[in-house]
Amino acid sequence: MNQNMFERIKRLQIGSGILEYGVVGAPEAPALLLLHAIRNTKQLFAGIIPELSTKYRVIAVDLRGHGGSVAVEPFTFEQIVNDLVCLLDAEKLEQATVVAASFAAVPAQMLAVREPHRVSSLILLDGGYYSLGEVPGFDLDSVVSRLDATRFASVENAERQFADRYSAHWMPAGWMKEELVQTEEDSYRYRLPKAAFAAYFHEYTAHSTEQLFRQLTCPVLLLLADEMLLPDEEERRFYQDAAARYRAAVPQAKVKTISGSQHLLMMTNPQETLEEIIRFLNK
């Protein structure tokens, strides 16, 4: 597993829980706080951390219930924000850019609203610009049940499936190890408990987009997957309309689609994602 991309793995006590995160880069460099997608861990950013850490102090977090962070309730976006504030305090960070993937883009924006002087900018990787409950065909209960019931024969089998799906065979061996736990039947399931899947998806389904978006004051880069790869016309139109609504609600946001990319941009198109992040930060 590519733990070597971090100089240190830290564990922060927050109440009865532990927040684990990896740190790499010069302590005096501008800080980047990386937040992964649901069920993933800090390892999701393996394709972009090494180069980012040459110019920035990179802090990649296992969000509550994920990876090395102990699964202690409550599993809410507000609690994620509280955890991140504790991390900023522990690392003595006066300012940071937050890079958030998928569902984590919502608490990232909540953090920017709550701590406007500490979040210098936001980079949202194909998430947070809509309410999940509005997506055509989305059913919370069936999605939670499917993910909770998902089983893999081995960590290697899970990694191979994701590599095939996202054309990401370059990902380091063992990158999913911290996402999974072994069952009594010797198969592997996601480490994130069903209660956390249900709670986080419910929050993503029910959050007030309009109210949140209009409170943002920092610069924002919204990087989007290529909706033209979606087979369903209604779904394609939904994401196009959602991006247009986000532009209207957050006039300072730069919205960019990475051609040919899928939802997990840092896996399917790591180089293009990296270039867009650096270009945005250098302006």
Side-chain angles (χ1 to χ4, degrees):
M1 184 168 53
N2 195 22
Q3 288 280 16
N4 290 334
M5 67 181 168
F6 298 112
E7 293 167 351
R8 292 188 65 187
I9 300 294
K10 297 187 176 184
R11 294 173 179 85
L12 177 64
Q13 184 82 40
I14 301 177
S16 58
I18 298 290
L19 192 71
E20 181 174 293
Y21 57 98
V23 181
V24 61
E28 68 276 8
L32 298 182
L33 185 60
L34 273 52
L35 312 179
H36 57 76
I38 198 163
R39 77 173 178 256
N40 301 128
T41 71
K42 54 187 174 295
Q43 295 290 330
L44 185 67
F45 296 99
I48 64 175
I49 284 178
E51 188 164 340
L52 286 175
S53 65
T54 64
K55 297 181 179 180
Y56 302 96
R57 181 185 183 191
V58 177
I59 302 170
V61 186
D62 285 347
L63 298 174
R64 180 171 289 243
H66 297 77
S69 293
V70 178
V72 177
E73 295 187 73
F75 301 117
T76 66
F77 286 169
E78 189 62 42
Q79 185 60 58
I80 288 178
V81 172
N82 292 339
D83 291 347
L84 296 176
V85 170
C86 291
L87 186 155
L88 293 175
D89 291 342
E91 291 295 317
K92 298 180 172 58
L93 290 176
E94 295 183 2
Q95 275 201 332
T97 288
V98 183
V99 182
S102 191
F103 94 113
V106 179
Q109 292 173 96
M110 293 169 62
L111 177 65
V113 170
R114 174 170 160 180
E115 302 284 333
H117 300 297
R118 300 182 80 175
V119 177
S120 55
S121 57
L122 286 168
I123 299 173
L124 310 179
L125 303 180
D126 201 45
Y129 63 103
Y130 56 85
S131 171
L132 194 60
E134 300 170 349
V135 177
F138 176 79
D139 181 77
L140 188 149
D141 291 338
S142 63
V143 170
V144 170
S145 296
R146 174 176 57 80
L147 291 170
D148 182 61
T150 297
R151 297 291 183 272
F152 301 100
S154 64
V155 173
E156 294 76 14
N157 171 254
E159 292 177 349
R160 187 164 52 251
Q161 288 189 37
F162 272 77
D164 291 344
R165 177 179 178 183
Y166 291 104
S167 300
H169 292 275
W170 55 268
M171 286 288 283
W175 75 273
M176 284 187 70
K177 185 176 181 180
E178 293 182 353
E179 291 188 22
L180 305 172
V181 292
Q182 194 167 11
T183 69
E184 293 180 356
E185 295 78 25
D186 289 331
S187 61
Y188 287 80
R189 62 173 177 81
Y190 290 119
R191 181 180 301 274
L192 191 68
K194 184 176 183 179
F197 272 123
Y200 286 142
F201 275 128
H202 177 267
E203 294 256 300
Y204 201 0
T205 300
H207 79 98
S208 176
T209 55
E210 195 73 14
Q211 181 180 3
L212 175 63
F213 299 159
R214 294 196 181 279
Q215 294 181 79
L216 291 172
T217 57
C218 67
V220 179
L221 171 63
L222 173 60
L223 280 181
L224 301 177
D226 191 343
E227 77 277 353
M228 297 310 295
L229 297 181
L230 297 170
D232 185 78
E233 172 62 29
E234 183 183 8
E235 197 173 357
R236 290 198 298 270
R237 189 165 54 251
F238 167 79
Y239 287 113
Q240 291 168 346
D241 292 345
R245 291 194 300 271
Y246 191 83
R247 285 191 190 94
V250 189
Q252 76 274 25
K254 177 183 178 183
V255 181
K256 176 75 179 291
T257 298
I258 296 181
S259 179
S261 64
Q262 298 182 57
H263 178 55
L264 295 181
L265 303 173
M266 73 298 293
M267 286 185 67
T268 68
N269 295 71
Q271 190 58 40
E272 293 93 331
T273 301
L274 180 66
E275 290 170 358
E276 292 294 341
I277 289 173
I278 292 175
R279 186 178 296 118
F280 176 74
L281 293 173
N282 286 342
K283 285 187 176 180

